[in-house]
Amino acid sequence: MAEGGSKTLTSNLQVIPGAKVQWQRCIIDDDVRDAMERYNRFLAVNVSHHPEEIPKAAYSQLEKARDGGIPIELITQDAVKTVKLKKSLGAGASKTFYDTGDGQALAMNAAPHQFYDELMMHSYLKKSGIPTLDIEPAVIRWEFQGTKYSIATHIAPSFSEYAKENAFEVISKTSLVIFNHLNDKKVLSEGQKPSILEDWDASLTPLVKDIRNLIDNGVYNPGDAFNMILVGKGAKFHSGGPADYEVRSFPIDFSSKIFRYDRLPVKNQLTAEDEKTILKAHIKQAALIQFDANAHQLPKDWKRLVDNLTERYLRK
């Protein structure tokens, strides 16, 4: 059975005989296509039912796993283990991540195709040099009335694991919890002055390069939710530049329960004003980190500073 979609497309992925579901996509990038074909082979071996073949009652049984009520088998490319999910680590519009108890976050998606879109986009971003989650395919297997069912999803390191490596996620709507998580870390190094535009260059230039890369590859649009990461020198995502801490883009959520990516990449031509809007939103968030908005330390002219920094980093 083929995975359902809104329209027919010509897939350039290898068809795997006997697979319970074929995730059809047209993937232009050779490396990403190779990666997805490897994932498809793993999924063909471990996914026992097409999602539409699984009874609703069996899905209801799986819901008990969300609060740790029943154990599930978690199958990755490296191992098969039985886990009881711990707590929810956060939720988006159509997915929730759960703590597996070993530093990993398991996604529970609203629609079957979502995990595949996430895997495609993260593979593409990783190749493009954009910091992003190290996600991999996973299969959840559980038993209902004597039959074992399985669904495909993805798993990633929890954000607490990145913090151990001196890298801190910053969501677009940063809360007090996230500011506490940063533990008073700032964008600028000691001795640098926020009012001097040049002092921001070492910390923000990697972010600006990321944003341009994302825009040029059709990933960002005005109004999209965005994530960033504050990364310390020597940590995985630090560019190696002179700044003690850099701000990098950290996109992590690309899937929707309503639509799917039929092909990759999907490039949209943005105007200069669109790019300015996206850049300003990121720089505003960087300023809020620096000034600690929740501690009420925003200077009176901080909005003007954001405007000036945005103008500084626009493409000429």
Side-chain angles (χ1 to χ4, degrees):
M1 296 179 69
E3 179 212 1
S6 58
K7 57 184 178 181
T8 302
L9 60 91
T10 301
S11 174
N12 61 357
L13 295 177
Q14 179 183 10
V15 175
I16 302 176
K20 291 297 183 179
V21 60
Q22 301 282 333
W23 285 275
Q24 298 181 41
R25 297 292 189 273
C26 178
I27 303 177
I28 298 171
D29 186 277
D30 290 341
D31 294 326
V32 177
R33 185 170 63 250
D34 289 346
M36 298 313 294
E37 287 184 341
R38 290 196 303 273
Y39 294 159
N40 280 347
R41 289 191 289 271
F42 160 75
L43 295 166
V45 171
N46 292 288
V47 176
S48 59
H49 293 77
H50 189 281
E52 294 176 2
E53 296 176 341
I54 300 176
K56 290 183 179 180
Y59 278 121
S60 297
Q61 174 78 355
L62 181 60
E63 285 296 312
K64 297 178 181 179
R66 292 176 181 261
D67 60 5
I70 64 169
I72 56 174
E73 284 185 284
L74 178 59
I75 307 168
T76 64
Q77 297 174 105
D78 299 321
V80 178
K81 57 185 177 181
T82 300
V83 301
K84 272 194 172 184
L85 300 181
K86 307 298 181 182
K87 59 182 179 180
S88 167
L89 296 173
S94 58
K95 72 170 65 63
T96 304
F97 284 95
Y98 290 90
D99 181 5
T100 63
D102 57 357
Q104 296 285 299
L106 178 69
M108 291 282 197
N109 299 298
H113 68 266
Q114 287 182 261
F115 86 99
Y116 207 80
D117 286 356
E118 297 288 342
L119 286 166
M120 281 199 308
M121 288 302 298
H122 283 80
S123 296
Y124 187 64
L125 292 175
K126 190 173 182 179
K127 178 181 178 177
S128 302
I130 303 296
T132 188
L133 289 172
D134 294 320
I135 74 171
E136 64 171 309
V139 171
I140 300 171
R141 188 160 61 199
W142 75 104
E143 186 172 336
F144 176 70
Q145 293 184 346
T147 300
K148 287 193 174 182
Y149 296 97
S150 55
I151 58 172
T153 183
H154 64 276
I155 195 167
S158 64
F159 291 127
S160 61
E161 296 301 301
Y162 290 102
K164 294 175 183 177
E165 300 176 6
N166 204 22
F168 305 89
E169 180 220 12
V170 182
I171 60 176
S172 55
K173 296 181 179 180
T174 300
S175 64
L176 180 60
V177 173
I178 296 297
F179 274 108
N180 290 339
H181 172 64
L182 292 174
N183 196 24
D184 295 326
K185 290 177 173 59
K186 305 294 183 183
V187 176
L188 301 182
S189 301
E190 187 175 353
Q192 291 184 310
K193 296 182 179 180
S195 59
I196 300 176
L197 299 185
E198 291 82 356
D199 280 359
W200 290 83
D201 287 348
S203 293
L204 291 188
T205 296
L207 172 67
V208 174
K209 290 180 178 178
D210 289 341
I211 293 171
R212 290 176 181 173
N213 193 345
L214 290 164
I215 289 173
D216 290 344
N217 286 283
V219 178
Y220 269 178
N221 288 295
D224 284 351
F226 64 88
N227 283 50
M228 305 189 307
I229 193 165
L230 184 67
V231 54
K233 186 177 289 187
K236 178 178 179 179
F237 298 124
H238 196 282
S239 72
D244 291 333
Y245 280 92
E246 294 177 345
V247 184
R248 302 288 308 269
S249 180
F250 196 65
I252 62 172
D253 189 357
F254 297 100
S255 64
S256 166
K257 65 181 179 181
I258 300 173
F259 69 89
R260 72 181 197 188
Y261 294 106
D262 286 331
R263 48 187 50 85
L264 179 77
V266 180
K267 296 190 177 184
N268 301 310
Q269 186 67 40
L270 298 187
T271 67
E273 194 60 32
D274 289 336
E275 183 165 338
K276 181 177 181 179
T277 298
I278 294 169
L279 179 62
K280 183 176 180 179
H282 286 77
I283 290 176
K284 178 181 177 181
Q285 195 63 56
L288 292 176
I289 298 170
Q290 177 65 31
F291 297 125
D292 193 352
N294 286 297
H296 307 290
Q297 295 177 0
L298 288 172
K300 292 182 179 180
D301 58 349
W302 79 277
K303 291 184 178 180
R304 180 181 299 176
L305 171 64
V306 170
D307 289 337
N308 290 340
L309 287 171
T310 302
E311 290 295 329
R312 181 176 181 81
Y313 298 122
L314 288 176
R315 291 195 231 205
K316 308 302 180 186

Short mmCIF file of all heavy atoms in Angstrom, two decimals, residues 121-145:
data_model
loop_
_atom_site.label_atom_id
_atom_site.label_comp_id
_atom_site.label_asym_id
_atom_site.label_seq_id
_atom_site.Cartn_x
_atom_site.Cartn_y
_atom_site.Cartn_z
N MET A 121 13.62 16.76 6.04
CA MET A 121 14.07 18.13 6.21
C MET A 121 15.33 18.20 7.07
O MET A 121 16.25 18.98 6.78
CB MET A 121 12.96 18.97 6.84
CG MET A 121 11.81 19.25 5.89
SD MET A 121 12.31 20.12 4.38
CE MET A 121 12.94 21.66 5.05
N HIS A 122 15.41 17.40 8.12
CA HIS A 122 16.59 17.43 8.96
C HIS A 122 17.81 16.88 8.23
O HIS A 122 18.93 17.37 8.42
CB HIS A 122 16.33 16.67 10.27
CG HIS A 122 15.51 17.45 11.24
ND1 HIS A 122 14.15 17.55 11.14
CD2 HIS A 122 15.85 18.20 12.33
CE1 HIS A 122 13.69 18.30 12.11
NE2 HIS A 122 14.68 18.71 12.85
N SER A 123 17.61 15.89 7.38
CA SER A 123 18.72 15.39 6.56
C SER A 123 19.21 16.48 5.62
O SER A 123 20.42 16.67 5.42
CB SER A 123 18.27 14.18 5.74
OG SER A 123 17.92 13.10 6.56
N TYR A 124 18.28 17.22 5.07
CA TYR A 124 18.63 18.30 4.14
C TYR A 124 19.37 19.43 4.86
O TYR A 124 20.37 19.96 4.38
CB TYR A 124 17.36 18.81 3.48
CG TYR A 124 17.58 19.81 2.38
CD1 TYR A 124 18.25 19.45 1.21
CD2 TYR A 124 17.12 21.11 2.50
CE1 TYR A 124 18.45 20.36 0.20
CE2 TYR A 124 17.32 22.03 1.48
CZ TYR A 124 17.98 21.65 0.33
OH TYR A 124 18.19 22.56 -0.66
N LEU A 125 18.88 19.80 6.03
CA LEU A 125 19.51 20.88 6.80
C LEU A 125 20.91 20.48 7.27
O LEU A 125 21.84 21.30 7.25
CB LEU A 125 18.65 21.24 8.00
CG LEU A 125 17.31 21.89 7.68
CD1 LEU A 125 16.51 22.09 8.95
CD2 LEU A 125 17.51 23.22 6.97
N LYS A 126 21.04 19.25 7.71
CA LYS A 126 22.34 18.78 8.18
C LYS A 126 23.38 18.88 7.07
O LYS A 126 24.51 19.32 7.28
CB LYS A 126 22.21 17.34 8.67
CG LYS A 126 23.44 16.83 9.40
CD LYS A 126 23.17 15.46 10.01
CE LYS A 126 24.38 14.96 10.79
NZ LYS A 126 24.12 13.63 11.40
N LYS A 127 22.99 18.49 5.87
CA LYS A 127 23.90 18.59 4.73
C LYS A 127 24.23 20.05 4.43
O LYS A 127 25.34 20.38 4.01
CB LYS A 127 23.28 17.94 3.50
CG LYS A 127 24.18 18.07 2.28
CD LYS A 127 23.60 17.47 1.03
CE LYS A 127 24.56 17.71 -0.14
NZ LYS A 127 24.09 17.10 -1.38
N SER A 128 23.27 20.94 4.65
CA SER A 128 23.46 22.36 4.36
C SER A 128 24.26 23.09 5.43
O SER A 128 24.53 24.28 5.28
CB SER A 128 22.09 23.03 4.19
OG SER A 128 21.34 22.42 3.17
N GLY A 129 24.59 22.40 6.51
CA GLY A 129 25.39 23.02 7.57
C GLY A 129 24.59 23.80 8.58
O GLY A 129 25.16 24.60 9.34
N ILE A 130 23.29 23.59 8.62
CA ILE A 130 22.43 24.28 9.58
C ILE A 130 22.30 23.43 10.84
O ILE A 130 21.97 22.24 10.75
CB ILE A 130 21.03 24.52 8.98
CG1 ILE A 130 21.12 25.33 7.69
CG2 ILE A 130 20.14 25.23 9.99
CD1 ILE A 130 21.66 26.71 7.85
N PRO A 131 22.57 23.99 12.01
CA PRO A 131 22.37 23.21 13.25
C PRO A 131 20.93 22.73 13.36
O PRO A 131 19.98 23.49 13.16
CB PRO A 131 22.70 24.22 14.36
CG PRO A 131 23.58 25.23 13.71
CD PRO A 131 23.09 25.34 12.29
N THR A 132 20.76 21.48 13.69
CA THR A 132 19.43 20.93 13.86
C THR A 132 19.53 19.66 14.70
O THR A 132 20.63 19.17 14.97
CB THR A 132 18.78 20.64 12.49
OG1 THR A 132 17.41 20.28 12.68
CG2 THR A 132 19.51 19.54 11.75
N LEU A 133 18.40 19.14 15.10
CA LEU A 133 18.38 17.94 15.92
C LEU A 133 18.97 16.75 15.17
O LEU A 133 18.80 16.63 13.95
CB LEU A 133 16.95 17.60 16.33
CG LEU A 133 16.27 18.51 17.34
CD1 LEU A 133 14.80 18.12 17.46
CD2 LEU A 133 16.94 18.43 18.69
N ASP A 134 19.63 15.88 15.89
CA ASP A 134 20.14 14.63 15.31
C ASP A 134 19.05 13.57 15.41
O ASP A 134 19.05 12.74 16.32
CB ASP A 134 21.40 14.17 16.05
CG ASP A 134 22.55 15.12 15.86
OD1 ASP A 134 22.72 15.62 14.74
OD2 ASP A 134 23.29 15.38 16.83
N ILE A 135 18.10 13.63 14.49
CA ILE A 135 16.97 12.70 14.59
C ILE A 135 17.23 11.46 13.74
O ILE A 135 18.02 11.48 12.81
CB ILE A 135 15.64 13.36 14.20
CG1 ILE A 135 15.55 13.56 12.68
CG2 ILE A 135 15.44 14.67 14.92
CD1 ILE A 135 14.17 14.01 12.23
N GLU A 136 16.55 10.39 14.09
CA GLU A 136 16.64 9.15 13.33
C GLU A 136 15.29 8.46 13.37
O GLU A 136 14.46 8.72 14.25
CB GLU A 136 17.72 8.23 13.91
CG GLU A 136 17.45 7.74 15.32
CD GLU A 136 18.44 6.67 15.76
OE1 GLU A 136 18.61 5.70 14.99
OE2 GLU A 136 19.01 6.79 16.84
N PRO A 137 15.04 7.58 12.39
CA PRO A 137 13.75 6.89 12.39
C PRO A 137 13.64 5.92 13.55
O PRO A 137 14.64 5.39 14.03
CB PRO A 137 13.75 6.16 11.05
CG PRO A 137 15.20 5.94 10.74
CD PRO A 137 15.90 7.16 11.29
N ALA A 138 12.42 5.70 13.99
CA ALA A 138 12.16 4.74 15.05
C ALA A 138 10.81 4.09 14.77
O ALA A 138 9.97 4.63 14.06
CB ALA A 138 12.16 5.42 16.42
N VAL A 139 10.62 2.93 15.35
CA VAL A 139 9.34 2.22 15.23
C VAL A 139 8.85 1.90 16.63
O VAL A 139 9.61 1.41 17.47
CB VAL A 139 9.49 0.94 14.40
CG1 VAL A 139 8.22 0.10 14.45
CG2 VAL A 139 9.84 1.27 12.94
N ILE A 140 7.59 2.21 16.88
CA ILE A 140 6.93 1.86 18.14
C ILE A 140 6.12 0.59 17.90
O ILE A 140 5.31 0.52 16.98
CB ILE A 140 5.98 2.98 18.59
CG1 ILE A 140 6.75 4.30 18.80
CG2 ILE A 140 5.26 2.58 19.87
CD1 ILE A 140 5.83 5.49 19.03
N ARG A 141 6.32 -0.40 18.75
CA ARG A 141 5.57 -1.65 18.61
C ARG A 141 4.87 -1.95 19.94
O ARG A 141 5.48 -1.86 21.01
CB ARG A 141 6.51 -2.80 18.22
CG ARG A 141 5.78 -4.10 17.87
CD ARG A 141 6.67 -5.02 17.05
NE ARG A 141 7.89 -5.40 17.77
CZ ARG A 141 8.98 -5.87 17.18
NH1 ARG A 141 9.03 -5.99 15.86
NH2 ARG A 141 10.04 -6.22 17.90
N TRP A 142 3.60 -2.30 19.84
CA TRP A 142 2.83 -2.62 21.04
C TRP A 142 1.83 -3.72 20.72
O TRP A 142 1.57 -4.02 19.55
CB TRP A 142 2.12 -1.38 21.57
CG TRP A 142 0.91 -0.95 20.80
CD1 TRP A 142 -0.40 -1.13 21.14
CD2 TRP A 142 0.88 -0.27 19.53
NE1 TRP A 142 -1.24 -0.60 20.19
CE2 TRP A 142 -0.48 -0.06 19.19
CE3 TRP A 142 1.85 0.19 18.65
CZ2 TRP A 142 -0.87 0.57 18.01
CZ3 TRP A 142 1.48 0.83 17.48
CH2 TRP A 142 0.13 1.01 17.17
N GLU A 143 1.29 -4.34 21.75
CA GLU A 143 0.39 -5.47 21.57
C GLU A 143 -1.03 -5.10 21.95
O GLU A 143 -1.26 -4.40 22.95
CB GLU A 143 0.85 -6.67 22.40
CG GLU A 143 0.04 -7.94 22.16
CD GLU A 143 0.63 -9.16 22.85
OE1 GLU A 143 1.85 -9.16 23.12
OE2 GLU A 143 -0.12 -10.11 23.11
N PHE A 144 -1.97 -5.57 21.15
CA PHE A 144 -3.38 -5.37 21.45
C PHE A 144 -4.15 -6.62 21.03
O PHE A 144 -4.09 -7.03 19.86
CB PHE A 144 -3.94 -4.14 20.73
CG PHE A 144 -5.41 -3.93 20.93
CD1 PHE A 144 -5.91 -3.54 22.17
CD2 PHE A 144 -6.30 -4.14 19.89
CE1 PHE A 144 -7.27 -3.35 22.37
CE2 PHE A 144 -7.67 -3.95 20.07
CZ PHE A 144 -8.15 -3.55 21.31
N GLN A 145 -4.80 -7.24 21.98
CA GLN A 145 -5.61 -8.45 21.75
C GLN A 145 -4.83 -9.52 20.97
O GLN A 145 -5.33 -10.11 20.01
CB GLN A 145 -6.90 -8.09 21.02
CG GLN A 145 -7.85 -7.23 21.87
CD GLN A 145 -9.17 -6.96 21.18
OE1 GLN A 145 -9.32 -7.17 19.97
NE2 GLN A 145 -10.13 -6.47 21.96
#
